[in-house]
Amino acid sequence: MKKTVLLLGAALLMLGSCQKPKPDQQKQTGNTAAMDINEHYTFKLSDKVTRQKVTFKNRYGIELTGDLYLPKNNIEPLAALAISGPFGAVKEQSSGLYANQMAERGFAALAFDPSYTGESGGEPRNIASSDINTEDFSAAVDFLGIQKNIDRNKIGIIGICGFGGFALNATAVDKRVKAVATTSMYDIPRAASKGYFDKVTLAERTKTLEQMSAQRWRDAEKGKPAYGQCPNPEKLKGDEPEFVKSYFDYYKTKRGFHPRSINSNGAWTITSPFSLMNLPILTYITEISPRPVLIIAGENAHSRYFSEDIFTSASEPKELMIIPNAVHVDLYDKIDVIPFEKLELFFKNNLK
């Protein structure tokens, strides 16, 4: 019983702070303007690429903020990519790095903060939703498709980690998306509801939902949500699983820390898993076909089974690429490990 509860706890690790979100996690005012050169990014902007801050609204009226990366030397109209993830990260981390790399390769690439996180709008802060986070990708497609320098018939999606699942879900329903790729894919609703490897029992799931249901009374009485555990510890004891150490090494160190990232510096509301646990995604994964799917995972990633299960469920055309010796977090920022040449070829072959 204890081991299984720990598995659910680990799955909810990303669904956290021990405190109210810090001021620098609150939404910033975003307008279409040149990027502030003092803004913190976890990677260096390519000298072959420009970056511009943009805002756009999703179907629920929430204003999203993103960075639009464009190749300096290009032939317009451009093929375009909407990119987001990991779950609890911000556009200045992995998704921006991916956008930077793909813009170098000739694509317009939009890295964006999902609703309720980073610089994007939505109150209260730091909540997630199976529906709204899927919608966020379609809103990014909306934005890309009305730009004069972009060909709206050549738009694809890249989802990283937890937003890999939402990327696939968005592609299944949004027929404007011509191709989709995921790296280190997580099905967040599945993990939240069933724990890693689906080992959480109905009784344990029920207990978790009872605790969150009771929390709603406390939140209602106070008029504001409470926040749960910090997604990543401030220090490691040394006996943690590999994936916990890897997350810490990325989010809590200079390598990937960002003050607006929930995984670096904040937490989810205690009741955030409500929607995720009750609204599974990927029910219609077969309806992505005949559009192509590329699924990329590390050989030694704790999350590899998510990618393999989705690959089995998806219809052709599909491809599963396993990166030798790589762990989950290696595909966040290790440019020598992430197969950008493969991503370039995949989208150039399929966005035409």
Side-chain angles (χ1 to χ4, degrees):
M1 174 72 74
K2 182 178 179 181
K3 181 178 180 181
T4 307
V5 172
L6 286 174
L7 286 167
L8 178 58
L12 294 176
L13 181 69
M14 300 182 183
L15 301 174
S17 112
C18 307
Q19 57 192 358
K20 183 179 179 180
K22 300 180 175 89
D24 54 10
Q25 286 183 282
Q26 303 302 314
K27 178 183 178 294
Q28 307 295 315
T29 301
N31 298 298
T32 303
M35 179 62 59
D36 180 358
I37 61 172
N38 295 315
E39 179 66 70
H40 173 63
Y41 286 80
T42 60
F43 58 93
K44 183 179 179 180
L45 180 66
S46 169
D47 59 7
K48 301 176 182 178
V49 171
T50 63
R51 179 171 59 206
Q52 183 180 38
K53 184 167 291 187
V54 299
T55 60
F56 53 97
K57 288 186 178 181
N58 68 15
R59 190 164 53 89
Y60 295 99
I62 299 170
E63 185 175 78
L64 305 182
T65 299
D67 289 335
L68 181 62
Y69 293 74
L70 297 171
K72 287 184 177 178
N73 298 315
N74 62 78
I75 300 175
E76 298 179 355
L78 297 166
L81 301 168
I83 307 174
S84 195
F87 190 74
V90 290
K91 63 188 179 302
E92 293 83 4
Q93 295 173 313
S94 296
S95 60
L97 180 148
Y98 273 67
N100 186 53
Q101 288 288 322
M102 297 308 289
E104 265 198 352
R105 291 163 168 78
F107 298 90
L110 174 64
F112 65 91
D113 289 333
S115 296
Y116 306 104
T117 66
E119 290 188 297
S120 287
E123 294 290 342
R125 303 305 294 161
N126 301 359
I127 59 174
S129 163
S130 294
D131 183 23
I132 294 175
N133 291 147
T134 296
E135 159 63 20
D136 288 341
F137 270 113
S138 286
V141 173
D142 292 342
F143 172 82
L144 290 169
I146 61 173
Q147 304 308 306
K148 293 181 179 179
N149 59 337
I150 289 173
D151 185 340
R152 66 168 56 179
N153 295 310
K154 298 180 180 180
I155 299 177
I157 286 178
I158 298 176
I160 308 162
C161 183
F163 273 80
F166 295 125
L168 293 168
N169 204 43
T171 304
V173 70
D174 193 335
K175 304 307 181 182
R176 301 172 300 173
V177 181
K178 303 304 180 184
V180 59
T182 68
T183 59
S184 290
M185 198 277 289
Y186 247 87
D187 180 343
I188 289 290
R190 177 182 173 185
S193 182
K194 300 180 180 181
Y196 283 126
F197 298 100
D198 302 338
K199 291 187 177 181
V200 169
T201 67
L202 174 59
E204 290 159 348
R205 169 184 158 85
T206 299
K207 183 177 180 180
T208 298
L209 289 169
E210 287 173 347
Q211 291 171 341
M212 285 196 295
S213 297
Q215 182 63 46
R216 292 191 66 133
W217 287 125
R218 293 188 286 272
D219 290 353
E221 289 167 350
K222 292 183 178 180
K224 59 183 179 181
Y227 291 79
Q229 296 180 347
C230 302
N232 288 293
E234 292 300 318
K235 294 182 180 180
L236 293 177
K237 297 177 181 179
D239 60 350
E240 293 86 354
E242 174 278 323
F243 71 92
V244 174
K245 294 177 181 178
S246 291
Y247 283 140
F248 179 91
D249 185 56
Y250 181 76
Y251 287 111
K252 302 297 285 187
T253 70
K254 185 178 179 180
R255 171 185 169 191
F257 179 89
H258 195 281
R260 283 194 295 271
S261 169
I262 296 170
N263 295 336
S264 289
N265 200 40
W268 299 96
T269 66
I270 292 176
T271 58
S272 193
F274 248 112
S275 167
L276 302 171
M277 292 179 70
N278 195 46
L279 297 173
I281 58 175
L282 304 175
T283 302
Y284 300 105
I285 185 71
T286 60
E287 295 185 15
I288 293 178
S289 179
R291 295 163 296 159
V293 177
L294 172 62
I295 300 172
I296 302 169
E299 178 184 18
N300 299 323
H302 69 284
S303 58
R304 175 175 169 176
Y305 76 98
F306 285 120
S307 292
E308 292 176 329
D309 287 356
I310 287 302
F311 177 74
T312 299
S313 299
S315 298
E316 297 285 356
K318 60 183 179 179
E319 182 176 357
L320 175 64
M321 183 178 189
I322 302 298
I323 307 301
N325 303 315
V327 298
H328 181 90
V329 176
D330 286 343
L331 300 184
Y332 284 10
D333 68 334
K334 293 189 176 180
I335 295 175
D336 58 338
V337 176
I338 302 167
F340 282 113
E341 291 77 12
K342 176 66 175 181
L343 287 166
E344 176 185 1
L345 183 63
F346 173 76
F347 284 111
K348 284 187 174 178
N349 285 342
N350 292 295
L351 300 183
K352 60 183 181 180

